[in-house]
Amino acid sequence: MPEISRFLGMIIAMYYDDHAPPHFHVRYGDREAVIRINDLACIQGNLPPKAMGLVIEWAMAHKEELEKDWALARQDLPLNKIAPLE
């Protein structure tokens, strides 16, 4: 799973052969979550509330980049790194 960003102990990644809807994966310690890109809803797993809030804040700031990476993944093209949460 290609890593597209990393910050505050969280790893953000996308799979090339993943299913719709467009989403990204978050790993934080022993927890994992899948976040849908269009509305930033958690569709699988969970994170501690503070970590989830930080991921959503990051994703809101980089939604267009996430959509572009999803499109690249569908074409089996290299994904772009996305800046971490500042």
Side-chain angles (χ1 to χ4, degrees):
M1 172 169 25
E3 181 179 314
I4 57 175
S5 193
R6 180 186 293 247
F7 56 90
L8 304 171
M10 292 177 260
I11 299 169
I12 313 293
M14 282 186 187
Y15 287 110
Y16 280 102
D17 58 350
D18 223 343
H19 56 83
H23 63 276
F24 60 93
H25 297 254
V26 183
R27 287 180 289 173
Y28 181 62
D30 62 348
R31 312 271 294 267
E32 293 187 28
V34 177
I35 310 296
R36 192 170 43 220
I37 295 171
N38 71 337
D39 61 2
L40 303 178
C42 181
I43 57 174
Q44 184 178 337
N46 62 63
L47 299 173
K50 184 175 182 179
M52 183 63 80
L54 293 169
V55 167
I56 298 306
E57 179 183 342
W58 172 84
M60 287 174 57
H62 298 285
K63 194 170 181 181
E64 186 175 309
E65 293 165 276
L66 287 163
E67 291 168 344
K68 287 179 182 177
D69 268 353
W70 180 265
L72 290 170
R74 302 289 58 81
Q75 299 172 54
D76 289 322
L77 296 171
L79 304 183
N80 296 313
K81 296 287 186 185
I82 300 176
L85 186 66
E86 296 182 16

